[in-house]
Amino acid sequence: MQSGISASKELVSQFNDLLGSSSTFGLLVNIANEQLQPIQTLTSSPGSSFASNVDSLLTPHIKEKEALYIILRRYDSSPALVAVTYVPDTAPVRQKMLFAATRLTLVRELGSEHFRETIFATTAKELTSAGFEKHDAHTALDAPLTEEEKSLGEVKRAEQEAGSGTSKREIHLGSQMAMPMGDDAMMSLKELAMGEGVGVVSLKVNPTTETIDLLPAPSSTPDSLSSLVSSISTTEPRFTFYRYTHTHNGSEESPVLFFYTNPSSNGGRVAIKQRMLYPLMKRAVLEVASKEGLNPDKKFEVEEPSEITEESVLAELHPKVVESRGFARPKRPGGR
């Protein structure tokens, strides 16, 4: 379910002014009258730093019980902006759900090419200069760590075993391995759990950075499994969460399904490594989804997306009950 909220003309105009003026540090946005509306422009002083601007210009506008969208100029090169969604835990429930469901719309309507990153914050401390420093330090840890290197060593050994045909083994994530998933991906999982968004979340493993990337969301919810399947790559593995709304025995049901597709048609050494990374990441993806409140009702693991059919999915969701007829006693010979 989409929020149906769009950017107002005033917001688009002020956002364009921000793009054209290096002295404009930021733009504060809220939701009013079913639209994204600008509420305050933050203008910086010549020579001021990002840290000083955050503490002097942004911090006074952060309230403990009020959600807010924040667009900040942070980098000298393009894309220069960051989009922050501030949703404090103490905000009204409806406001939290509305802001969460619309955060991707804000970036999409203003142009995702202008934003280098998106940040989701729940406390005022995160939106101070110290909070941004902590965020940067955490982001830097997304580079391969010792534990990740150990896990990748397991991948290489599994490749060798697969190549020689010696055995199969499940690759487990190390207990200390930080999950390299962006805020936008985690927020999309949370939206799906709450019944918001477009009803589908597609993820892929970036083999270069070994992170989980969120794929662009469709403009509307796939209205059938066949339309969902047509959007899943036939050449690269994918993790797909989908809220499958259908009618069974006269009642509408909307279970969340998880599909792990790993096409075998894309050969080559690079493809093999990519295929091996997905089993490593699958459990972690499901664990992160669970922490965001999303627990799939059914999980499917197939090679080709074409294997996902309405018939096979419905058979798993609603297995037919075989009636027991009992033991039929044979008739006595010559009896009545």
Side-chain angles (χ1 to χ4, degrees):
M1 182 175 66
Q2 299 184 74
S3 62
I5 293 173
S6 59
S8 67
K9 292 181 179 179
E10 292 79 9
L11 174 59
V12 173
S13 176
Q14 291 193 28
F15 180 73
N16 288 332
D17 291 341
L18 181 152
L19 292 176
S21 172
S22 58
S23 64
T24 303
F25 172 64
L27 183 60
L28 307 182
V29 181
N30 70 357
I31 299 175
N33 300 321
E34 303 299 317
Q35 285 190 313
L36 292 164
Q37 300 278 5
I39 57 175
Q40 180 74 45
T41 297
L42 306 179
T43 304
S44 60
S45 302
S48 57
S49 66
F50 177 81
S52 64
N53 284 333
V54 166
D55 291 336
S56 63
L57 300 178
L58 175 61
T59 300
H61 296 281
I62 304 303
K63 301 178 181 179
E64 291 186 359
K65 297 183 179 181
E66 188 173 320
L68 183 68
Y69 293 125
I70 306 159
I71 300 171
L72 300 177
R73 181 185 302 280
R74 189 172 190 195
Y75 304 99
D76 294 330
S77 59
S78 183
L81 307 179
V82 295
V84 180
T85 299
Y86 172 60
V87 182
D89 293 333
T90 52
V93 174
R94 185 180 182 280
Q95 188 183 72
K96 288 196 289 188
M97 294 181 65
L98 190 60
F99 269 73
T102 312
R103 69 186 294 260
L104 298 180
T105 301
L106 173 72
V107 173
R108 190 163 49 239
E109 294 216 352
L110 296 179
S112 57
E113 69 276 10
H114 300 299
F115 297 91
R116 186 169 301 195
E117 75 177 315
T118 59
I119 299 174
F120 187 81
T122 58
T123 66
K125 289 183 179 179
E126 295 175 79
L127 301 180
T128 62
S129 58
F132 275 95
E133 287 180 7
K134 186 176 180 180
H135 168 77
D136 292 343
H138 177 75
T139 301
L141 291 178
D142 284 347
L145 303 176
T146 303
E147 188 67 28
E148 290 176 312
E149 291 171 354
K150 292 179 181 178
S151 298
L152 289 175
E154 292 290 333
V155 174
K156 292 180 180 179
R157 283 192 287 274
E159 285 185 49
Q160 294 171 354
E161 292 175 357
S164 58
T166 54
S167 66
K168 287 185 178 179
R169 64 182 297 183
E170 184 176 2
I171 303 171
H172 296 275
L173 280 171
S175 59
Q176 301 300 318
M177 181 176 178
M179 182 60 205
M181 181 183 290
D183 291 342
D184 54 349
M186 289 189 286
M187 194 61 230
S188 294
L189 293 172
K190 182 178 290 187
E191 288 177 6
L192 185 59
M194 295 189 300
E196 301 294 331
V198 296
V200 59
V201 176
S202 298
L203 306 170
K204 73 171 185 176
V205 173
N206 186 322
T208 302
T209 60
E210 284 138 20
T211 59
I212 302 295
D213 292 345
L214 174 69
L215 293 168
S219 57
S220 60
T221 303
D223 57 4
S224 66
L225 281 170
S226 59
S227 61
L228 172 71
V229 168
S230 66
S231 68
I232 300 176
S233 174
T234 57
T235 58
E236 295 182 0
R238 291 286 186 268
F239 298 127
T240 305
F241 294 85
Y242 176 55
R243 186 172 293 281
Y244 177 42
T245 302
H246 65 288
T247 301
H248 177 67
N249 289 341
S251 300
E252 185 176 272
E253 299 184 12
S254 299
V256 173
L257 310 179
F258 171 76
F259 298 101
Y260 164 38
T261 52
N262 201 342
S264 60
S265 57
N266 189 18
R269 182 177 177 84
V270 175
I272 291 175
K273 179 178 180 180
Q274 205 170 349
R275 281 167 59 83
M276 295 305 297
L277 278 172
Y278 275 79
L280 176 68
M281 294 295 191
K282 181 182 70 171
R283 177 174 300 195
V285 167
L286 290 170
E287 287 179 355
V288 170
S290 179
K291 290 179 181 178
E292 298 300 330
L294 184 63
N295 295 290
D297 298 279
K298 280 290 180 179
K299 306 181 188 74
F300 299 84
E301 184 171 332
V302 298
E303 285 193 346
E304 308 298 333
S306 58
E307 297 177 51
I308 303 170
T309 64
E310 189 166 3
E311 182 180 6
S312 63
V313 169
L314 289 176
E316 288 290 327
L317 289 174
H318 311 292
K320 294 182 179 180
V321 179
V322 179
E323 295 183 3
S324 175
R325 296 178 177 273
F327 179 75
R329 183 184 298 274
K331 294 181 180 180
R332 296 175 59 186
R336 295 182 181 180

